[in-house]
């Protein structure tokens, strides 16, 4: 076994161990071996980190001119571009995601910091048309305070950027908790943050488990805003935790995103979009298009094409540029997938490809592209978020039926429609209760496109202009413009 890579936490501008000196190891999903060791934060460590963030918030940071803060965001963007290769490599070893994807993403994430740097001085207040004589009333947008950012193991650079960039632009300070399943990338990112010279305590990065680290952070009295991405069960804990500090919470949760292919669709386009949607990142994407509805008239023929395509996907080491699907991130997830497939097949699902651990799964967590025909979309693989490369396929007859089926699930994050009839594309998009609908495309993100769900996929939006306001509070100030004294309160009216 090679030597373990070691990281410390980034608190108040210093690299520190946990107070207890306790650590934990993270596994490389490619070979199931520990490769990195990080501090295990306790309640005490979280208290230190939050107090450091509060001290920075009480200092000069919120009072810098917005364009001064923007300079730090641009510096982060530049560091990301210059270090995309290194960040990509660390994230790949930590998560099992393909290097070509993590490297490209680290580079692209720079755009989010540039975007919010540009918005830093564009958030304006108002002058209100008030119904009182001699009064001028204004509203201003003020920062909230200490923000707790809780990150899942996948797409960490993106999910950090959509919280950190708007929070910093608006003058908040932040404590970020990395995922216990893949803690390394954020510490590598912390080194870049340090290089920008951002005032100490403005950004703090901690590592630990949901209990006690995540709980202590999201319930800390000084935390006033919690930005969470993760699963719905954890989200329920977060909301309960926020009862302690009455913080504002945003939740970006899971999905079971439906995709409809109509008989008039451009099939090659649909095939590429569906493949990207469910087999990209080995299906470990919150917007994975995992429920596929194919119109009856093209069902057999189109399904055959998807199965053929899936069978050609090349599994392999995530650093290899020829690999198309790497390992899953954890054994626990692999076992959840296996259990759901077993139950689905017992209940009548028909396996068309994959379905069993890949042979080189003796060490790593490799699972092949899997397609299951389901005659009912309440079967386990068609209903539950699996976070893996498993596509459940169903038939439909007409638009009304498929809309009902697409909406018949607890989640509402993403969705897709393939049709050449743009009116129909728009009708279906309007009818689907999901935060995002892709028409004739899939799996795209942009700093300017709001991202987030409905129903059990959470609330609040990340990215886009509006989300920057979620890192502010409206403050109302009344000015009495009269030179005369105020009326005696007991003679009013
Ligand atoms: P998870 O919910 O298990 O963990 C997410 C984070 O929450 C981790 O950092 C974890 O330590 C922390 N946590 C756990 N218990 C906590 C507690 N009691 N209090 C505070 N924090 C706690 O999620 P995961 O397995 O890392 O990620 C997969 C999930 O994330 C999937 O459901 C996926 O769909 C979702 N996800 C959503 C989006 C989105 O933008 N909507 C993006 C990526 C992933």
């Amino acid at each position: 076994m090679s030597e373990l890579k070691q990281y410390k936490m980034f608190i108040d501008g210093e690299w520190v161990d946990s107070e207890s000196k306790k650590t934990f190891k993270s596994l490389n999903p490619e070979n199931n071996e520990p490769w990195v060791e990080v501090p295990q934060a306790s309640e005490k460590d979280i208290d230190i980190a939050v107090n450091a963030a509060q001290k920075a918030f009480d200092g000069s940071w919120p009072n810098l001119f917005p364009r001064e803060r923007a300079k730090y965001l641009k510096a982060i963007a530049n560091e990301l571009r210059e270090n995309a290769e290194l960040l990509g490599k660390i994230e790949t070893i930590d998560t099992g995601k393909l290097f070509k994807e993590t490297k490209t993403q680290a580079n692209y994430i720079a755009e989010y910091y540039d975007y919010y740097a540009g918005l830093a001085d564009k958030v304006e207040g108002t002058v209100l048309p008030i119904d009182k004589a001699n009064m001028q009333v204004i509203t201003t947008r003020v920062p909230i305070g200490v923000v707790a950012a809780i990150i899942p193991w996948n797409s960490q650079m993106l999910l950090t950027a959509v919280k950190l960039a708007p929070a910093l632009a608006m003058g908040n300070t932040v404590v970020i908790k990395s995922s216990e399943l893949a803690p390394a990338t954020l510490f590598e990112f912390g080194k870049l943050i340090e290089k920008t010279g951002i005032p100490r305590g403005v950004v703090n990065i901690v590592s630990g488990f949901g209990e006690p680290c995540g709980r202590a952070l999201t319930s800390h009295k000084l935390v006033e805003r919690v930005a969470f991405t993760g699963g719905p069960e954890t989200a329920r804990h977060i909301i309960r935790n926020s009862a302690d500090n009455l913080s504002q919470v945003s939740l970006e949760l899971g999905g079971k995103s439906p995709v409809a292919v109509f008989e008039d669709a451009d099939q090659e386009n649909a095939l590429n979009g569906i493949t990207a949607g469910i087999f990209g990142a080995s299906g470990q994407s919150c917007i994975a298009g995992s429920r596929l509805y194919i119109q009856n008239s093209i069902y057999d023929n189109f399904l055959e094409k998807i199965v053929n395509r899936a069978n050609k996907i090349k599994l392999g080491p995530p650093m290899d540029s020829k690999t198309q699907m790497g390992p899953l991130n954890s054994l626990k997830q692999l076992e959840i997938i296996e259990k759901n497939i077993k139950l689905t097949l017992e209940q009548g699902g028909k396996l068309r490809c994959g379905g069993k651990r890949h042979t080189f799964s003796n060490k790593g967590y490799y699972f092949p592209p899997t397609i299951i025909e389901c005659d009912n979309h309440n079967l386990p693989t068609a209903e539950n978020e699996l976070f893996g490369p498993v596509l459940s396929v169903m038939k439909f007859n007409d638009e009304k039926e498929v809309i009902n089926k697409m909406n018949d699930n607890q989640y509402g994050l993403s969705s897709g429609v393939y049709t050449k009839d743009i009116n129909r594309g728009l009708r279906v998009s309007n009818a689907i209760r999901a935060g995002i609908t892709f028409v004739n495309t899939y799996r795209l993100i942009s700093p300017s496109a709001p991202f987030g769900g409905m129903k059990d996929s959470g609330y609040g939006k990340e990215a886009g202009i509006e989300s920057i306001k979620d890192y502010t509070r409206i403050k109302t100030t009344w000015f009495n413009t009269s030179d005369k004294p105020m009326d005696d309160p007991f003679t009013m009216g």
Side-chain angles (χ1 to χ4, degrees), residues 158-233:
L158 168 68
L159 298 170
T160 299
V162 290
K163 300 169 179 61
L164 186 61
L168 295 183
M170 290 294 94
N172 303 279
T173 57
V174 185
V175 179
I176 309 169
K177 181 201 163 308
S178 59
S179 162
E180 59 273 41
L181 294 174
T185 320
L186 272 173
F187 290 126
E188 234 19 93
F189 176 61
K191 293 181 191 168
L192 307 185
I193 296 271
E194 187 182 27
K195 274 167 76 181
T196 66
I198 203 162
R200 56 192 297 165
V202 170
V203 181
N204 306 274
I205 304 174
V206 299
S207 46
F209 295 90
E211 180 59 48
C213 171
R215 180 197 31 85
L217 180 56
T218 51
S219 58
H220 196 287
K221 288 283 179 211
L222 295 177
V223 166
E224 300 207 45
R225 168 84 166 85
V226 175
F228 172 75
T229 303
E233 278 319 305

Side-chain angles (χ1 to χ4, degrees), residues 11-87:
I11 297 178
D12 204 12
E14 310 277 340
W15 292 96
V16 296
D17 291 318
S18 63
E19 286 262 297
S20 65
K21 305 278 182 254
K22 270 196 191 165
T23 59
F24 66 97
K25 298 182 182 95
S26 166
L27 303 177
N28 175 347
E30 188 190 347
N31 55 24
N32 200 9
E33 282 181 10
W35 80 284
V36 72
E37 186 170 20
V38 300
Q40 187 175 328
S42 64
E43 289 188 1
K44 178 95 197 328
D45 297 303
I46 294 303
D47 189 46
I48 293 169
V50 173
N51 273 289
Q54 182 65 51
K55 200 167 90 201
F57 186 72
D58 294 336
S60 60
W61 180 250
N63 300 315
L64 289 183
F65 292 137
R67 282 209 291 274
E68 284 298 312
R69 285 196 300 269
K71 283 182 193 161
Y72 290 102
L73 296 187
K74 287 181 191 162
I76 296 174
N78 291 339
E79 290 293 341
L80 279 169
R81 289 191 186 99
E82 277 169 29
N83 295 281
E85 179 122 358
L86 170 68
L87 284 170

Side-chain angles (χ1 to χ4, degrees), residues 162-325:
V162 290
K163 300 169 179 61
L164 186 61
L168 295 183
M170 290 294 94
N172 303 279
T173 57
V174 185
V175 179
I176 309 169
K177 181 201 163 308
S178 59
S179 162
E180 59 273 41
L181 294 174
T185 320
L186 272 173
F187 290 126
E188 234 19 93
F189 176 61
K191 293 181 191 168
L192 307 185
I193 296 271
E194 187 182 27
K195 274 167 76 181
T196 66
I198 203 162
R200 56 192 297 165
V202 170
V203 181
N204 306 274
I205 304 174
V206 299
S207 46
F209 295 90
E211 180 59 48
C213 171
R215 180 197 31 85
L217 180 56
T218 51
S219 58
H220 196 287
K221 288 283 179 211
L222 295 177
V223 166
E224 300 207 45
R225 168 84 166 85
V226 175
F228 172 75
T229 303
E233 278 319 305
T234 316
R236 292 188 169 87
H237 286 288
I238 302 278
I239 295 167
R240 283 190 279 268
N241 298 347
S242 73
D244 287 345
N245 55 14
L246 299 177
S247 55
Q248 284 175 230
V249 178
S250 59
L251 303 171
E252 292 289 344
L253 311 180
K256 188 71 193 175
S257 301
V259 175
V261 184
F262 285 87
E263 60 191 1
D264 67 340
D266 175 331
Q267 292 200 4
E268 190 186 340
N269 180 53
L271 197 55
N272 285 336
I274 290 161
T275 306
I278 186 62
F279 301 128
S282 303
Q284 301 167 109
S285 158
C286 52
I287 58 170
S290 51
R291 285 192 286 147
L292 178 64
Y293 298 94
I294 306 175
Q295 197 157 20
N296 242 326
S297 50
I298 58 163
Y299 182 85
D300 290 330
N301 179 275
F302 188 64
L303 178 57
E304 200 60 38
K305 288 184 189 172
I306 304 173
V307 172
N308 287 341
R309 176 70 183 267
N311 277 327
K312 289 194 189 116
I313 291 175
K314 190 174 173 319
L315 267 73
M319 287 300 292
D320 186 336
S321 63
K322 292 193 198 74
T323 298
Q324 295 174 325
M325 259 178 55

Side-chain angles (χ1 to χ4, degrees), residues 354-368:
K356 284 199 170 62
R357 268 179 220 209
H358 198 274
T359 41
F360 43 80
S361 268
N362 297 337
K363 293 188 91 191
Y365 317 129
Y366 285 90
F367 204 83

Side-chain angles (χ1 to χ4, degrees), residues 479-492:
F479 292 95
N480 182 354
T481 59
S482 167
D483 289 333
K484 289 192 201 143
M486 278 180 70
D487 292 338
D488 180 334
F490 299 110
T491 59
M492 270 194 337

Side-chain angles (χ1 to χ4, degrees), residues 259-262 293-294 395-407 428 432:
V259 175
V261 184
F262 285 87
Y293 298 94
I294 306 175
K395 289 180 188 170
F396 73 92
N397 288 305
D398 58 34
E399 188 178 315
K400 188 161 179 265
E401 179 194 346
V402 80
I403 287 171
N404 286 338
K405 287 183 166 170
M406 289 169 89
N407 279 333
V428 175
I432 297 302

